[in-house]
Amino acid sequence: MVAIIGAVFTVLIALITYVLKLRLDEKRAIQSLISELHRRRAITEGPEPVIPGAEQSADFARANASVASMRTEIRATRDRVRQVDSLQAPLSEMTRSCNRYLELSAAYPDHYAVYLGNLRRELTPQVAQVAASRRGIVAHEPGGGAFYEPPNRSPELTCCATRRSANSN
């Protein structure tokens, strides 16, 4: 009897550990995606002009490659989370938003900057929705951290930077 109880407890502990690991991996995948979108320069807030001849520019190509990469990351995250609507629906909407940008920018390349702004505005509530589905996930604005420079934490580097700026006066 003791052996049966011990075996049941062992299985329960293994099952609980497995479920907790799945949830932690899911949370990490979602937070990683949100952070990745947060750091994307292509969707940072800025001017949204119509750019004649944009199709020939390197920036147009980079923006499209970035959005295609975002779409791939979103799909990979969708595959790594549970098949529940609260997670799958906003991730699917994010994929559709990327697809819409790619289709529109291919059809009307001179307007790609406008479409990037639209993409950012579409992704923002979708990110908030997916973040709200799990406790402990921080929703960052897509593109909002593209040009963020972390504070200098090294006293030695701060000291040297202070000396350089003092010497340049």
Side-chain angles (χ1 to χ4, degrees):
M1 184 64 157
V2 173
I4 293 173
I5 293 173
V8 169
F9 276 131
T10 301
V11 169
L12 283 176
I13 290 170
L15 181 62
I16 291 169
T17 303
Y18 175 74
V19 168
L20 289 175
K21 183 181 178 337
L22 285 178
R23 293 293 178 103
L24 182 61
D25 290 346
E26 179 179 86
K27 183 177 173 180
R28 285 180 180 157
I30 294 168
Q31 190 65 65
S32 177
L33 173 65
I34 291 171
S35 296
E36 178 68 23
L37 295 174
H38 180 64
R39 291 187 297 268
R40 288 295 176 133
R41 289 185 301 168
I43 56 173
T44 192
E45 191 167 354
E48 300 174 11
V50 173
I51 305 167
E55 190 171 22
Q56 305 305 317
S57 75
D59 190 50
F60 175 76
R62 279 191 300 271
N64 287 344
S66 182
V67 173
S69 173
M70 285 189 285
R71 181 180 61 185
T72 300
E73 291 291 326
I74 294 164
R75 286 177 176 165
T77 301
R78 195 176 62 202
D79 291 342
R80 291 171 38 199
V81 300
R82 289 173 293 139
Q83 300 296 312
V84 294
D85 197 48
S86 62
L87 295 170
Q88 294 294 322
L91 291 170
S92 292
E93 279 301 314
M94 290 173 161
T95 301
R96 279 192 283 281
S97 294
C98 291
N99 288 340
R100 190 170 19 262
Y101 163 81
L102 291 168
E103 291 166 4
L104 288 170
S105 67
Y108 308 100
D110 294 353
H111 294 83
Y112 85 96
V114 174
Y115 302 141
L116 284 171
N118 292 344
L119 176 59
R120 183 188 67 257
R121 286 184 287 276
E122 289 176 23
L123 289 175
T124 299
Q126 295 161 354
V127 164
Q129 187 179 359
V130 77
S133 70
R134 288 296 313 270
R135 205 170 356 145
I137 295 177
V138 179
H140 299 292
E141 180 184 9
F147 298 106
Y148 172 75
E149 293 183 25
N152 191 346
R153 298 188 192 269
S154 170
E156 183 178 278
L157 293 175
T158 303
C159 171
C160 296
T162 305
R163 272 191 238 136
R164 272 189 296 242
S165 65
N167 291 338
S168 64
N169 290 333

